[in-house]
Amino acid sequence: MLCRLDEAEAQYRATLAGLQEAGWYSQVVDTLAGLGGLLMRRGRMSDAETILKQSDDGARKLGNEQLRVVPLINLANVYCHSGRPAAAIRARCDASSRNRSAAWHTASASSLTTTPPSPTTSGKAACCDTIGAVPVAIASTAGMPNVS
């Protein structure tokens, strides 16, 4: 399958503008999280980090802890791929503490391993193995397709 990431990014940004104009703030947060994940997949880590922090800040301002989960998980991945394992683990634990499902806590606890990396594994690779290297994809409530 051919991914048309330029088109997906343009659609996210157009959707975001419309949602902001309409004042649909929870959907803005959701769309920012999706855009941040897309930027991460495109290798634009600095842009992704900025957008994901905006998403997390928006969810915090709305008082919606559950909405913070996706941006925090994707921030953990950005930190991991940017060589910041401590920040990655903090973001992942922060996400885990906000998700109320028992299945999430079980899966999240098992993904944060204390097993040391092998001598042939770089710190960045070990972090990504521990945190998970795949961005969390969401299907936006604004009708954006899941682009993976």
Side-chain angles (χ1 to χ4, degrees):
M1 180 173 123
L2 177 64
C3 292
R4 298 183 320 217
L5 299 179
D6 288 336
E7 291 176 29
E9 182 179 345
Q11 184 61 46
Y12 265 118
R13 291 187 185 280
T15 300
L16 186 59
L19 292 171
Q20 288 169 328
E21 185 178 317
W24 293 358
Y25 302 114
S26 62
Q27 288 86 356
V28 167
V29 168
D30 186 42
T31 303
L32 283 168
L35 176 58
L38 174 69
L39 293 171
M40 181 175 41
R41 274 179 246 140
R42 298 191 78 186
R44 293 170 48 194
M45 297 302 171
S46 180
D47 293 338
E49 182 176 353
T50 299
I51 293 292
L52 291 166
K53 284 181 177 179
Q54 288 175 7
S55 178
D56 184 46
D57 289 344
R60 188 180 301 125
K61 287 175 186 172
L62 289 172
N64 188 330
E65 294 298 304
Q66 191 70 26
L67 236 122
R68 295 185 65 200
V69 173
V70 171
L72 286 169
I73 291 172
N74 279 340
L75 274 169
N77 288 324
V78 166
Y79 296 147
C80 183
H81 289 289
S82 301
R84 297 180 278 171
I89 291 170
R90 278 193 305 274
R92 182 62 180 248
C93 290
D94 200 9
S96 180
S97 72
R98 276 141 182 58
N99 194 308
R100 293 171 177 76
S101 80
W104 167 269
H105 288 291
T106 302
S108 186
S110 68
S111 73
L112 291 172
T113 179
T114 56
T115 306
S118 72
T120 59
T121 306
S122 72
K124 181 177 171 184
C127 171
C128 292
D129 288 346
T130 300
I131 299 298
V134 179
V136 174
I138 58 172
S140 170
T141 57
M144 278 299 304
N146 182 355
V147 182
S148 20

